[in-house]
């Protein structure tokens, strides 16, 4: 399994698409930092968790597309040819599917960490010791993890049905970042970071999450896990037949 994981991860990281997506994400992230984050959002400081969360949420649509693209790359013809070899090997297909998904998630986490480091580095250079790095990392985790599990689960399930469905999910992942949504159903949380501080009637309020927002993040996490489990179960059922 470790060799399969290394093969899949190496195949993603060596592809020109990974480096192209990284370049696009870095350009987009830098533009957000210089034009939006530096001004602060919702009357908060540029180095506040609210402004940093808005930065992370704004680049999430591109990261979502990247994750789904990595999963699609595992469903193409070259991947299916390699899959025929694993079918003949004594490898449990459910585990093989999860290992492939883990490789795509690892490549995605590398992108996300680079963009998180870009944002933190920008703020530290601009504002020095005023930057609450620990709180910003927590904000990044709140933004990244629910979307990661939700999209990874949906992508894995869609890829097992038909690889073409992943292109539809890419369009939805991209569009979800630019359609105004209530904060409790906003997958990326942009409306939460930019609107909720205004309801607190304080200048640069301390970071907090209302109960409804916490519940929605948990629901996205559980839904993602459910999609992953169902995709593995469906794959096992298909193999048994």
């Amino acid at each position: 399994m470790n060799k399969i994981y290394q093969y899949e991860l190496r195949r993603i990281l060596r592809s020109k698409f990974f480096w192209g997506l990284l370049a696009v994400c870095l350009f987009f992230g830098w533009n957000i930092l210089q034009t939006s984050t530096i001004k602060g959002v919702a009357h908060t400081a540029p180095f506040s968790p609210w402004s940093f969360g808005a930065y992370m949420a704004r680049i999430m649509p591109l990261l979502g597309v990247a994750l789904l693209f990595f999963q699609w790359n595992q469903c193409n013809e070259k991947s299916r040819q390699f899959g025929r070899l694993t079918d003949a090997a004594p490898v449990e297909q459910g585990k093989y599917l999860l290992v492939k998904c883990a490789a795509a998630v690892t490549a995605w986490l590398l992108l996300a960490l680079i963009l998180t480091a870009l944002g933190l580095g920008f703020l530290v250079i601009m504002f020095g010791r005023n930057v609450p790095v620990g709180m910003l990392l927590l904000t990044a985790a709140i933004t990244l993890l629910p979307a990661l599990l939700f999209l990874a689960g949906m992508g894995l399930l869609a890829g097992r049905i038909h690889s073409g469905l992943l292109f539809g999910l890419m369009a939805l992942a991209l569009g979800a970042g630019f359609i105004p949504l209530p904060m409790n159903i906003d997958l990326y949380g942009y409306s939460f970071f930019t609107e909720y501080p205004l309801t607190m009637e304080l200048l640069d309020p301390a970071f907090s999450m209302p109960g409804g927002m916490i519940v929605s993040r948990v629901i996205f996490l559980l839904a993602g896990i459910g999609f992953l489990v169902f995709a593995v179960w469906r794959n096992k059922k298909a193999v048994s037949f």
Side-chain angles (χ1 to χ4, degrees), residues 25-237:
C25 288
L26 285 172
F27 174 80
F28 190 59
W30 183 253
N31 184 64
I32 293 171
L33 289 168
Q34 287 189 311
T35 60
S36 178
T37 306
I38 193 64
K39 300 176 183 177
V41 300
H43 307 309
T44 65
F47 49 84
S48 72
W50 305 106
S51 297
F52 189 74
Y55 157 72
M56 296 300 301
R58 184 51 78 191
I59 61 177
M60 271 305 303
L62 280 179
L63 287 175
V65 170
L67 174 61
L68 294 168
F69 182 84
F70 295 155
Q71 291 183 308
W72 171 83
N73 195 40
Q74 295 174 334
C75 301
N76 60 22
E77 182 59 30
K78 183 178 179 180
S79 179
R80 286 197 294 269
Q81 289 174 357
F82 180 75
R84 295 187 187 104
L85 298 177
T86 61
D87 289 342
V91 177
E92 186 178 334
Q93 291 301 305
K95 290 183 179 179
Y96 172 59
L97 193 63
L98 288 176
V99 167
K100 290 180 67 176
C101 184
V105 167
T106 302
W108 183 88
L109 284 173
L110 180 58
L111 283 180
L113 287 173
I114 291 172
L115 289 166
T116 302
L118 174 68
L120 289 175
F122 176 84
L123 293 174
V124 168
I125 290 173
M126 295 295 296
F127 302 103
R129 296 182 179 179
N130 292 323
V131 179
V133 175
M135 181 59 70
L136 299 191
L137 288 174
L138 176 61
T139 305
I142 292 171
T143 308
L144 294 171
L145 294 182
L148 167 61
L149 269 178
F150 186 77
L151 291 175
M154 286 191 68
L156 188 64
L157 181 58
R160 300 310 300 171
I161 297 172
H162 193 284
S163 60
L165 292 175
L166 287 167
F167 288 105
L169 284 181
M170 290 180 204
L172 289 175
L174 188 62
F178 299 95
I179 299 174
L181 294 171
M183 66 179 186
N184 289 344
I185 61 173
D186 183 356
L187 176 60
Y188 306 134
Y190 183 75
S191 58
F192 165 68
F193 292 114
T194 58
E195 297 175 9
Y196 184 68
L198 299 175
T199 67
M200 302 173 74
E201 299 181 351
L202 294 171
L203 184 62
D204 200 6
F207 182 76
S208 63
M209 294 180 67
M213 187 65 180
I214 295 174
V215 170
S216 72
R217 299 307 96 183
V218 173
I219 289 175
F220 280 126
L221 285 168
L222 294 178
I225 294 172
F227 288 136
L228 288 170
V229 171
F230 183 70
V232 172
W233 173 82
R234 189 179 186 279
N235 185 73
K236 287 182 177 180
K237 186 177 180 181

